[in-house]
Amino acid sequence: MRLNKYIAAAGICSRRKADELIANGNVKVNGAVVQQMGVDVGEGDVVMVNGKVLDHTPKKKVYVAVNKPLGYITSMDDDKDRATVAELVADIPERLFPVGRLDYNTTGLLIMTNDGDLTYTLTHPKHEVYKTYVAVVAGVLSDSRVAKLRKGVDIGGFVTSPAKVKVIKQLPRRAVVEIKIREGKNRQVRKMFAAVGNRVQELKRTAIGDIPLGRLMEGHYRKLSREEIEYLKSL
C-alpha cells in the first residue's frame, strides 16, 4: 500500500495532507525518515507520524453532515486559537476530517469523515461535483451579470466553468441568488460575484451534489444515510 494511503487509512489525515507530512520529513518507516513520494509499505512495517506509531487496527467508518456556523474554520486545530469544525463533532469518538473547505465567513453544509479514500476521491479535481450556495449580494444582479456567471468568469488567473445561477429575489439594494459550481477554488463564489461587480454579504452552502443541508440546525451534525454514503462513493 502506498505510504500516503496507509497514513490516511489509519485515520490521521487525508492523503493530500499525508503527502505534506511526508515531504516535510514528519514520517518515518522502520525508524528512517521517508520524504520521497510513492513509497510502498506492507505488513510488518512500522510507520511513525510526528513520533507516534500508527495504529492500523480497522476502524469504524463515520460519515456526517455538519452545518458550519459563521466564524469557524475548516480545520482540526488552529494556532490562532479560533473555533474549528473539530469542536462541532467533539462527541464522536472517531477523529473526523472535513471533506473540502468552507471559509471563515461562509456557513452551511460540510461533510466530515474518517474515510481517507472517500476524502481523496471527493476532493480530486477530476471529481467535479456541483456544490449549491445561496448568496446575498450587494446591489442589482442584472441579467448581463447573471449571463457572465453562467458563461464563466476570470477570478484572477483562473476562468471558472459555467455556473448554474438563479436569482431568488431582487431587492432595491441587494439580491438573493442561488449559484451552483463544480470547482472548489479558494473563496471562489465570492470572487465570482466580485468579478461581475457584486460583493457577497452572506454565503451559505446548501447542498453537495444530491446531499442537502435541509433543516439541520446551525452548529449541529447528522449522520449520513446509507443511501447518501453509497451516492458519495459512486461519484
Side-chain angles (χ1 to χ4, degrees):
M1 183 184 293
R2 286 291 174 91
L3 181 56
N4 63 350
K5 185 175 181 179
Y6 185 94
I7 294 170
I12 297 298
C13 58
S14 69
R15 268 197 259 180
R16 282 194 179 82
K17 183 63 176 178
D19 285 337
E20 293 179 20
L21 291 171
I22 294 166
N24 292 335
N26 299 108
V27 178
K28 290 183 179 182
V29 178
N30 300 325
V33 174
V34 174
Q35 289 183 273
Q36 62 268 36
M37 300 298 157
V39 171
D40 287 324
V41 293
E43 189 175 350
D45 287 323
V46 177
V47 178
M48 299 179 69
V49 175
N50 294 326
K52 182 179 178 181
V53 177
L54 298 193
D55 175 12
H56 228 272
T57 306
K59 294 176 176 59
K60 175 186 175 184
K61 293 290 190 289
V62 178
Y63 310 83
V64 300
V66 178
N67 187 347
K68 186 187 95 64
L70 196 69
Y72 280 71
I73 64 168
T74 311
S75 179
M76 300 310 293
D77 49 57
D78 181 58
D79 56 8
K80 297 178 181 178
D81 202 29
R82 292 172 294 183
T84 73
V85 293
E87 298 169 31
L88 304 176
V89 293
D91 61 334
I92 297 177
E94 291 78 13
R95 183 170 169 80
L96 306 185
F97 300 91
V99 179
R101 307 185 70 83
L102 284 178
D103 69 50
Y104 185 79
N105 291 317
T106 301
T107 64
L109 180 60
L110 182 70
I111 293 173
M112 298 185 68
T113 182
N114 59 348
D115 187 336
D117 287 337
L118 180 65
T119 300
Y120 179 80
T121 297
L122 292 179
T123 55
H124 195 281
K126 72 177 182 179
H127 292 277
E128 295 183 334
V129 181
Y130 271 107
K131 277 81 70 176
T132 304
Y133 296 82
V134 172
V136 177
V137 301
V140 174
L141 188 64
S142 65
D143 290 345
S144 62
R145 292 178 177 184
V146 169
K148 289 178 181 178
L149 293 169
R150 288 174 175 165
K151 183 179 179 180
V153 293
D154 189 333
I155 58 172
F158 178 82
V159 178
T160 63
S161 296
K164 297 180 179 181
V165 184
K166 180 175 69 175
V167 177
I168 299 171
K169 184 185 296 184
Q170 179 64 64
L171 302 168
R173 295 184 179 180
R174 62 178 181 169
V176 181
V177 55
E178 179 185 86
I179 182 168
K180 297 184 179 184
I181 63 170
R182 291 183 294 176
E183 305 104 343
K185 299 294 183 181
N186 183 43
R187 299 175 64 82
Q188 180 172 332
V189 173
R190 296 178 186 276
K191 291 177 180 178
M192 289 174 70
F193 281 109
V196 300
N198 295 88
R199 180 177 60 85
V200 170
Q201 297 176 327
E202 298 176 25
L203 186 62
K204 174 185 284 189
R205 184 158 65 191
T206 57
I208 297 173
D210 292 342
I211 298 179
L213 176 64
R215 297 182 178 181
L216 183 62
M217 292 177 61
E218 198 169 271
H220 289 236
Y221 69 84
R222 68 170 179 84
K223 292 185 177 180
L224 296 187
S225 68
R226 181 163 52 182
E227 291 76 18
E228 288 174 327
I229 296 168
E230 290 175 354
Y231 162 73
L232 291 174
K233 290 184 175 180
S234 72
L235 295 174

